[in-house]
Amino acid sequence: MEMMEVADPDAVHTVRTFIRKHLASELKNEFLSKFPATGVAYLALLNDQQCTELALHEYKTATNLTEQFAALAAIAQNPGQTRDDVLADFYSKWWHGYFVVNKWFMLQSTSDCPGNVENVRKLLSHPAFDMPNPNKVASWMVSAFSRWRQYNETRKKLAKAQLEMIMSTNGLSENVFEIASKSLAS
């Protein structure tokens, strides 16, 4: 988006998703036969049973957190019971890891799944989510507004209003305050 005179996040997202799905479709056999662990993120975009089973297999047979989280991220791209079950399983295994749980929240809060706003609302009442101290997730999400001046006028107004609302919130973490205030000042 840095190369665009006026940033269009919708267009960037649409093109990125199209390219990733096209690569997954065209290279499906290669991903399945030669690069299953690497290709699982692409293959999950196809949302077909074979690819879901591969991602689930990668999740269940992962030998470390990095591999397991990569498979979880692939599975989490598609709504459904498999997604819900694997997210719950991951949390039950890693609930004690502060940074791991932050990544788990971030993965869900940034999902493209239809109806994700409702999922995020549910996460706000999750026992591990602490509103006065919303962890790195809030900082990461606020940082998405840091380039607000590059957007079209409509988006600029919306992003600036959100940053101002964030700044007026009592009890902000130092990280969120710093990111929001610097974003407004830039």
Side-chain angles (χ1 to χ4, degrees), residues 92-111:
S92 73
K93 288 178 183 169
W94 298 100
W95 64 270
H96 57 280
Y98 175 80
F99 294 109
V100 178
V101 172
N102 283 341
K103 288 181 72 163
W104 180 81
F105 275 121
M106 204 175 325
L107 176 65
Q108 293 176 80
S109 66
T110 59
S111 171

Side-chain angles (χ1 to χ4, degrees), residues 13 24-25 30 32 34 49 51 64 69 72 133 140 148 151 177:
H13 178 72
S25 179
E30 286 83 354
L32 288 170
K34 298 176 186 171
Q49 191 59 36
C51 296
N64 59 54
F69 193 82
L72 173 69
N133 182 20
W140 185 82
W148 66 277
Y151 299 148
F177 177 82

Side-chain angles (χ1 to χ4, degrees), residues 95-165:
W95 64 270
H96 57 280
Y98 175 80
F99 294 109
V100 178
V101 172
N102 283 341
K103 288 181 72 163
W104 180 81
F105 275 121
M106 204 175 325
L107 176 65
Q108 293 176 80
S109 66
T110 59
S111 171
D112 285 340
C113 286
N116 198 46
V117 172
E118 187 55 38
N119 292 336
V120 171
R121 283 189 181 113
K122 289 178 186 173
L123 288 174
L124 292 174
S125 63
H126 191 279
F129 186 80
D130 181 15
M131 187 57 94
N133 182 20
N135 320 343
K136 300 275 185 191
V137 176
S139 300
W140 185 82
M141 291 179 80
V142 170
S143 68
F145 292 108
S146 66
R147 295 187 177 136
W148 66 277
R149 294 185 193 272
Q150 291 179 293
Y151 299 148
N152 64 33
E153 289 305 315
T154 303
R155 278 210 166 95
K156 278 183 192 178
K157 288 177 187 174
L158 292 169
K160 184 179 181 187
Q162 292 304 307
L163 285 167
E164 289 169 344
M165 183 192 72

